[in-house]
Amino acid sequence: MSKKQAGLYRNPPEIRKRQGKYLFIGSQKVLNFSSNDYLGLGSSKKLRKKVADNFLKYGTTSSSSRLVSGNYSIITAAEKEYARYFGYDQALFFPSGYQANLGMISTFFEPGDTIIFDKHIHASSVKGITLSGADFYGYNHNAMSHLSKRLENYDQSRTAVITESLFSMDGDFLDVEGLKKLKQRYGFLTIVDEAHAFGALGDPSFKTGCGIARDAADIAVGTFGKALGLFGAFVLMPQGFKEYLINFSSPFIYTTTLPEAHAASAMDVLEMVRESKDKRRHLSEVSRHMKECLSHEGFKVTGEAHILAVEIGEENMAVTVFQKLLEKNIFVFPARYPTVPMGKAILRLGMTALHTQEDVKYFVGSLRKIYGKIE
Ligand SMILES: Cc1ncc(COP(=O)(O)O)c(C=O)c1O
């Protein structure tokens, strides 16, 4: 069967522009439920103005890799702020989250090491693991008992566990306490990708947005392209690790560094994240409301925060539902294999602080009507 027949062919619609929670596709204005701009900062006038001013002030390019003539003091100053804010010793910026995971993991590990990873981690981490040359073993998604079994077999001094904190497709949380207990027992190194949590999730009072896995993580990865509304990524780590990456991480060394204007904007973003308590609270409330309404209508929905996965199953069905929703001016991503396992296609909803209860009502009502006609 061809990729097309199997419902696996990708042909994303061309988007003319984005405005807050709306996308413009051809002559259609559609409500976007596929954004990772969780706090809405990326579409805010305030951040756009600050970023524009920074590019005006600092210029448009760093014009070189960090190790040639790109090691600007504003970048190291921003990295220090990020390390401090998120509670780690050091931070290093990368041009993207994909490069950060690939570059960090493939550099820190080598043949003779063992990496044990949650089977649902992001493709960039998987690529880093395979490139490292280390032995690697997956454990069932979020199953600490399975991880424990895996750990019994290996020399812990050279073992690392890699996971995410808020999973990008399932929308569920890492069992931080469970992982912490295993870490105390076995003493492995822990790497946690907090791409979908940093900025949006943190302490229960919504004050910081510092993520949820600090208690169990030695190294964390954050991306600017999600709740932080920018682009690029950062690795947070203990003292001494940064120097090693700067010297040996090929995807860091042989690429043009993000410009000074990015670092200045990253610091502006941090200030806005600090001030986003109300946005985080609203995001939490509107996401919970969406889940409750979907469940009430009989849909199978997973997700414990702003990422919700509505179970569809068959790939072609997911595409049909996506198209029918688009006819109703709703845009939502039908995640299919290989992003999720075969036969387990989902509608992957990214809720944002820009969504309202009315938006939730419209989405759930539309999905109900579509299913009523298909069933
Ligand atoms: C969990 C996770 N890590 C890393 C990345 C990669 O980040 P970036 O888009 O900055 O390359 C993504 C998705 O984009 C992601 O979902």
Side-chain angles (χ1 to χ4, degrees), residues 96-99 101 122 124 164 168 193 195-196 223-226 232-233:
S96 76
Y98 194 100
Q99 266 169 284
N101 275 326
H122 192 255
S124 54
E164 289 176 24
S168 65
D193 185 339
H196 293 274
T223 50
F224 286 110
K226 306 192 194 300

Side-chain angles (χ1 to χ4, degrees), residues 54-177:
N54 288 329
F55 274 91
L56 215 55
K57 180 170 173 188
Y58 292 101
T60 51
T61 178
S62 66
S63 76
S64 128
S65 107
R66 192 84 172 259
L67 269 59
V68 180
S69 64
N71 196 32
Y72 291 97
S73 39
I74 193 163
I75 304 178
T76 47
E79 287 172 341
K80 274 191 189 136
E81 273 203 32
Y82 270 70
R84 198 176 315 124
Y85 190 77
F86 290 100
Y88 290 78
D89 294 338
Q90 295 187 304
L92 187 67
F93 288 179
F94 277 78
S96 76
Y98 194 100
Q99 266 169 284
N101 275 326
L102 184 149
M104 179 262 294
I105 296 168
S106 64
T107 307
F108 282 154
F109 304 100
E110 58 187 12
D113 293 334
T114 301
I115 300 174
I116 309 179
F117 63 98
D118 186 294
K119 284 182 186 169
H120 287 196
I121 54 170
H122 192 255
S124 54
S125 295
V126 174
K127 192 58 90 183
I129 292 169
T130 51
L131 282 176
S132 73
D135 294 329
F136 55 88
Y137 306 91
Y139 64 91
N140 294 338
H141 175 54
N142 241 341
M144 291 298 123
S145 52
H146 195 207
L147 171 59
S148 180
K149 268 197 201 129
R150 290 271 194 241
L151 285 162
E152 279 163 21
N153 300 327
Y154 304 105
D155 164 15
Q156 303 314 320
S157 63
R158 301 197 60 179
T159 297
V161 171
I162 302 184
T163 181
E164 289 176 24
S165 62
L166 173 62
F167 281 85
S168 65
M169 288 295 141
D170 310 85
D172 54 347
F173 291 138
L174 166 71
D175 175 359
V176 179
E177 272 309 302

Side-chain angles (χ1 to χ4, degrees), residues 239-356:
Q239 202 67 37
F241 284 58
K242 176 174 177 170
E243 202 184 336
Y244 194 80
L245 286 181
I246 290 174
N247 280 279
F248 299 111
S249 182
S250 176
F252 174 83
I253 298 169
Y254 299 103
T255 195
T256 303
T257 192
L258 290 171
E260 289 164 280
H262 175 272
S265 305
M267 289 200 261
D268 290 332
V269 162
L270 207 53
E271 200 46 47
M272 290 174 74
V273 165
R274 201 175 266 131
E275 292 164 358
S276 289
K277 182 176 172 180
D278 292 344
K279 289 188 172 65
R280 277 187 284 276
R281 177 179 291 116
H282 175 69
L283 176 63
S284 165
E285 285 166 3
V286 81
S287 304
R288 193 176 330 118
H289 184 59
M290 176 64 102
K291 188 175 177 184
E292 281 165 8
C293 291
L294 282 167
S295 305
H296 184 73
E297 286 293 334
F299 292 104
K300 265 201 179 155
V301 50
T302 58
E304 294 171 69
H306 43 274
I307 297 171
L308 298 173
V310 184
E311 189 183 304
I312 303 289
E314 205 268 314
E315 285 71 26
N316 278 308
M317 178 70 163
V319 177
T320 303
V321 175
F322 160 74
Q323 283 162 346
K324 298 271 175 211
L325 282 169
L326 201 54
E327 285 167 18
K328 294 185 181 299
N329 299 324
I330 291 171
F331 191 89
V332 63
F333 176 60
R336 289 159 285 158
Y337 179 83
T339 311
V340 293
M342 196 69 161
K344 299 212 162 133
I346 54 166
L347 292 180
R348 190 266 191 197
L349 273 79
M351 300 299 296
T352 75
L354 301 173
H355 288 126
T356 62

